[in-house]
Amino acid sequence: VTVRLVNNGGGDRIQVFDAERRYLYQFGRCGTDPGAFLRPQALALDAERDELFVADAGNHRIQVFTTDGELRRTLGSVGLEQGRFSYPFGVVLEIGGVAADPVGLPSTAIDGAGARRTLVVAEHSNHRIQRIDAATGESLAIAGGLGRETGRLKYAWAVAEAGRTADGTPRFAVCDQGNSRIVFFTFPPEQ
């Protein structure tokens, strides 16, 4: 199954295709109600738990669906505080502290069934990335903040896992659109 975002100003929805790229179905619509979208910007799939995380940028939230389109929960809301968002533009799913592979499965080195799920979210207008618990939305760490200096961002556009440091800490690459650069971040280990 292939999942695709459509965010063309009014047609905001998720489209699902089979392995041969044949259209199967779609869900969502333009709006602010639960299950609706205003500029869905990025996806992350947890295939093991059948959870699709959608960065619903214009509604300042992450919505979690089954791949059939059933809304399971909503994480965050608009704001500057921890656990809140301002235009979430990018999202990476971590399973047991390791970024999930492109089809949403845990690394073969991890037993994903009981592993904690976290999300790393790039926030365009809060100029930061935030790691949250994927079940509760609780903020676990924040990096960045507005500025041009080292470790600062101006309009975080996207985030991707970028390997690990020498000590094994996950590293993330952030598209720093306002400063025309890519910035690398790590978070402190979880307690």
Side-chain angles (χ1 to χ4, degrees):
V1 171
T2 301
V3 181
R4 181 181 139 216
L5 291 171
V6 177
N7 65 358
N8 60 358
D12 300 334
R13 64 190 182 275
I14 306 296
Q15 294 182 327
V16 180
F17 299 82
D18 68 14
E20 285 76 41
R21 298 183 181 165
R22 289 184 298 245
Y23 172 83
L24 297 174
Y25 58 92
Q26 66 185 28
F27 60 90
R29 66 188 185 299
C30 185
T32 58
D33 295 332
F37 304 108
L38 288 178
R39 196 174 179 189
Q41 193 67 29
L43 299 168
L45 175 65
D46 185 342
E48 246 183 4
R49 294 189 178 172
D50 188 31
E51 291 191 333
L52 180 67
F53 298 87
V54 181
D56 184 9
N59 286 317
H60 313 285
R61 64 190 178 193
I62 305 292
Q63 294 195 79
V64 187
F65 296 87
T66 65
T67 53
D68 291 337
E70 175 191 336
L71 179 64
R72 286 199 172 158
R73 64 189 172 280
T74 299
L75 306 173
S77 61
V78 67
L80 297 170
E81 300 85 5
Q82 292 184 347
R84 295 179 179 255
F85 307 113
S86 184
Y87 297 99
F89 270 25
V91 62
V92 171
L93 170 66
E94 296 177 297
I95 301 174
V98 177
D101 74 11
V103 294
L105 294 172
S107 161
T108 55
I110 295 174
D111 174 17
R116 183 177 191 179
R117 269 55 173 177
T118 54
L119 298 173
V120 176
V121 180
E123 297 180 66
H124 180 266
S125 296
N126 275 342
H127 315 284
R128 66 187 183 190
I129 61 172
Q130 185 171 184
R131 177 182 274 150
I132 64 168
D133 183 283
T136 66
E138 174 192 1
S139 180
L140 304 171
I142 292 176
L146 180 60
R148 299 187 66 80
E149 304 83 18
T150 301
R152 295 294 185 167
L153 299 164
K154 185 175 181 183
Y155 305 119
W157 198 268
V159 61
E161 189 255 346
R164 293 185 172 262
T165 63
D167 68 357
T169 302
R171 204 167 87 138
F172 297 92
V174 180
C175 176
D176 183 13
Q177 187 258 340
N179 290 319
S180 301
R181 63 188 181 186
I182 302 295
V183 180
F184 294 90
F185 287 96
T186 59
F187 289 110
E190 287 188 58
Q191 301 300 323

